[in-house]
Amino acid sequence: MNPIKVGLLGFGTVGRGTFDVLRRNQEEIRRRAGRGIEIAAVAVRDVKKARDAVGPALPITSDPRDIVRHPDIDIVVELIGGAGPARALVLEAIERGKHVVTANKALLALHGNEIFEAASRKGVMVAFEAAVAGGIPIIKALREGLTANRIEWIAGIING
C-alpha cells in the first residue's frame, strides 16, 4: 500500500520536530498503522537553511501554496502559526480534499467554525489535538471513548 504523503507548512521548532519524529519513526508507524507516512515536501521561509536540515532529496519550497496544491499530498500539516495566511492555506487545502493537522490555537479560536464546516462539507478531517490543553489527548477521548455519552458542555481553565 502506498504511503500517506504529508506536506509541512513551516519548519520552525515544531515543524522540525514533526519532521524528525515522522522520519525517525517511519517503520513503527507502518507497523502499527499498516501504512507508512512519508513527508513529500516542506514549505519554509529560508530554503537554504532547511536544505541543510532535510538533505538533498526532499522537495523544499518557499511558497506554501505549492504544498497545498501538490496533487500527491494527502495531509497538510500547518505549522506556520497566526490566523491570516494560515486560514487561507488551510481552507484551500480542505477545498482540494486534503486532510489538515494544526496546533494553531489562534487559527482555531478565530476561524474554527468556518474550518470545521468546510472540512465537513468536503469529507476531510481536521486534527487539532495538539492545539488543545497543552496536548492532553482530550479530543480523541471525547470523540472515540465517550461517543455513547451525551455531553452537554465542558468547562475549564487549561493552559499548556
Side-chain angles (χ1 to χ4, degrees):
M1 182 176 283
N2 290 333
I4 297 168
K5 304 265 186 176
V6 174
L8 298 180
L9 301 180
F11 203 68
T13 302
V14 176
R16 175 69 187 264
T18 301
F19 174 83
D20 290 342
V21 165
L22 289 175
R23 182 179 262 183
R24 183 176 58 243
N25 296 313
Q26 280 187 1
E27 289 305 315
E28 185 65 16
I29 292 168
R30 186 177 293 109
R31 187 184 70 75
R32 288 184 183 190
R35 189 171 178 192
I37 293 179
E38 176 183 298
I39 299 171
V42 179
V44 299
R45 283 189 206 154
D46 186 342
V47 173
K48 183 184 177 330
K49 183 177 173 185
R51 176 64 62 211
D52 294 341
V54 303
L58 186 66
I60 300 175
T61 180
S62 60
D63 186 349
R65 293 172 299 197
D66 292 343
I67 302 294
V68 170
R69 295 173 182 168
H70 194 295
D72 296 333
I73 289 179
D74 304 301
I75 301 173
V76 172
V77 180
E78 182 276 311
L79 302 166
I80 58 176
R87 174 188 168 271
L89 292 164
V90 164
L91 288 172
E92 184 175 348
I94 289 168
E95 186 60 33
R96 292 176 178 273
K98 298 179 188 308
H99 303 286
V100 172
V101 176
T102 184
N104 188 334
K105 293 172 182 63
L107 175 68
L108 296 177
L110 295 172
H111 304 291
N113 289 341
E114 177 185 20
I115 289 167
F116 295 122
E117 287 170 11
S120 178
R121 280 193 309 273
K122 291 301 282 189
V124 299
M125 294 179 59
V126 176
F128 60 96
E129 196 158 56
V132 178
I136 298 168
I138 189 71
I139 303 302
K140 183 174 178 156
L142 290 172
R143 265 199 195 132
E144 297 175 15
L146 300 172
T147 54
N149 296 304
R150 194 172 73 203
I151 298 169
E152 296 182 23
W153 64 280
I154 296 174
I157 298 172
I158 303 171
N159 188 344

